[in-house]
Amino acid sequence: MSASIEEHFSTLEDPRIDRNKLHELMDIVILVLCAVSSGADGWEAIEEFGQEKLDWLRKFAPFANGVPSHDCIANVLSRLSPKGFQQCFRSWTGAVSEATQGEVIAIDGKSARGSHDRKRSRKALHMVSAWASTNSLVLAQEATQEKSNEITAIPKLLELLELKGCIVTIDAMGCQRAIAEQIIAQGGDYVLGLKGNQSVLQEGVEDFFTVAMAGDFAGVEYDYTEEVDQDHGRLEVRRYWVTEDLRTLPNTQLWQGLRSIGMVERQCLIGETQTLQRRYYINSIRAEAKRFAHAVRDHWGVENRLHWRLDVVFAEDASRIRKGNAPAIMTSIRHLCMNLFEQEPSSMRLSKKRRKAAWNDDYRAKIVFG
């Protein structure tokens, strides 16, 4: 099939010299992918999976010299090029997905806390990912060593993406003029969160909505929508305002494509406790409240649909893999596993799919090999 793992990862460069190869690189990649899909989270567990499932694995790859040791697996993955792996990852993702008009691509970062290595003075890996909300797929990733480096990682990540017709959402860290300009140049739209890093603009937007609300938006053209969620004793109301009235804002000409500003108010009631939170945004989209709400809501969803599942289902924060490039490679493999599970159309939760892959050879074959 056009989206076969072997086809799209065949160009991955082997870091070993030929005379030291006992196991083929594709054998190792297939082993790790199948093992991680089936619940293996460390080197020894991956080797154990291979020993138990060797006959099954040989249906898909030669494994002429059996299963590599956990030391061999760790050594090879720690020396793989993250950039080369990303190229293969994007090739596979491009074969199984097609961006739709108005697709929301959420750009957000997550640290793999367990990759912190005090002995070698290495900070925890921070991975910035692009998440396509409609298809629930990770499109690409860019690794950094610090969260503050998101500003330099985001432009590199955007370069890898086809943005035409899509809405890119980024939190306040990525609210930079150069990033907005890049998104527009690549044919996309943006919804960017505002916070202290753009304090003058944020204060201008905040003051605008404060005055407008106090006057019941008299003389201001705007659009509004709200959403209500209630379950298990929790009531949440989300209100969205968006306007193309930029007259009072400073230096709007510096922001390529800037067309509207928005405010989101989240009011949450749990028992007797009530909280109210407001967030502000600059956008290149028209002042359509439902479209604005869709973009903001899908960006919030990346926490539950990607980051939370990486930690809870794949135990990413608990992983102690630290050697060389292995933390970045393993994060990409977890993302690839999540994408593979998303291609399976059943309504099972991800945790149940992963458990079924561990128990059922036919299901695992369906997930990994189609």
Side-chain angles (χ1 to χ4, degrees), residues 189-245:
D189 278 304
Y190 59 77
V191 171
L192 305 178
L194 281 170
K195 216 170 183 179
N197 62 326
Q198 296 291 343
S199 57
V200 174
L201 185 57
Q202 183 201 0
E203 289 171 6
V205 174
E206 187 172 351
D207 288 346
F208 173 89
F209 279 106
T210 299
V211 173
M213 290 182 73
D216 199 24
F217 285 89
V220 176
E221 291 189 14
Y222 73 100
D223 199 19
Y224 171 82
T225 190
E226 69 176 52
E227 302 165 338
V228 179
D229 285 333
Q230 185 171 9
D231 63 280
H232 305 293
R234 177 178 179 275
L235 173 66
E236 181 175 300
V237 181
R238 297 182 296 275
R239 305 179 181 93
Y240 304 85
W241 292 265
V242 62
T243 179
E244 295 181 24
D245 190 338

Side-chain angles (χ1 to χ4, degrees), residues 166-184:
C166 298
I167 301 173
V168 178
T169 63
I170 314 176
D171 63 16
M173 179 69 77
C175 187
Q176 306 288 328
R177 291 195 294 269
I179 291 175
E181 183 176 353
Q182 182 178 353
I183 293 169
I184 295 298

Side-chain angles (χ1 to χ4, degrees), residues 224-295:
Y224 171 82
T225 190
E226 69 176 52
E227 302 165 338
V228 179
D229 285 333
Q230 185 171 9
D231 63 280
H232 305 293
R234 177 178 179 275
L235 173 66
E236 181 175 300
V237 181
R238 297 182 296 275
R239 305 179 181 93
Y240 304 85
W241 292 265
V242 62
T243 179
E244 295 181 24
D245 190 338
L246 310 180
R247 291 172 295 174
T248 63
L249 301 184
N251 301 320
T252 55
Q253 75 280 1
L254 299 178
W255 292 86
Q256 187 72 31
L258 178 58
R259 183 166 181 176
S260 65
I261 56 175
M263 182 178 76
V264 180
E265 182 179 84
R266 297 175 75 178
Q267 184 177 12
C268 188
L269 180 64
I270 304 176
E272 299 297 320
T273 302
Q274 179 172 289
T275 59
L276 185 69
Q277 180 185 61
R278 287 174 179 162
R279 294 185 180 180
Y280 304 92
Y281 298 83
I282 60 171
N283 322 303
S284 67
I285 61 175
R286 296 188 300 273
E288 297 174 355
K290 288 187 177 180
R291 190 180 184 206
F292 172 59
H294 171 65

Side-chain angles (χ1 to χ4, degrees), residues 117-187:
D117 192 344
R118 184 177 300 173
K119 184 178 180 180
R120 294 181 175 85
S121 300
R122 292 185 59 177
K123 296 184 178 181
L125 172 76
H126 190 77
M127 187 76 84
V128 183
S129 303
W131 170 263
S133 62
T134 301
N135 296 314
S136 296
L137 291 176
V138 180
L139 300 177
Q141 314 98 340
E142 183 71 27
T144 78
Q145 288 300 319
E146 297 183 51
K147 180 176 175 61
S148 59
N149 289 343
E150 282 191 17
I151 294 175
T152 57
I154 290 171
K156 296 177 183 177
L157 182 60
L158 291 173
E159 288 175 0
L160 306 176
L161 304 173
E162 173 56 59
L163 301 182
K164 188 174 182 180
C166 298
I167 301 173
V168 178
T169 63
I170 314 176
D171 63 16
M173 179 69 77
C175 187
Q176 306 288 328
R177 291 195 294 269
I179 291 175
E181 183 176 353
Q182 182 178 353
I183 293 169
I184 295 298
Q186 291 184 222

Side-chain angles (χ1 to χ4, degrees), residues 305-317:
R305 297 165 65 191
L306 177 60
H307 296 165
W308 184 86
R309 294 198 294 179
L310 283 171
D311 283 338
V312 174
V313 180
F314 286 89
E316 180 168 88
D317 269 356

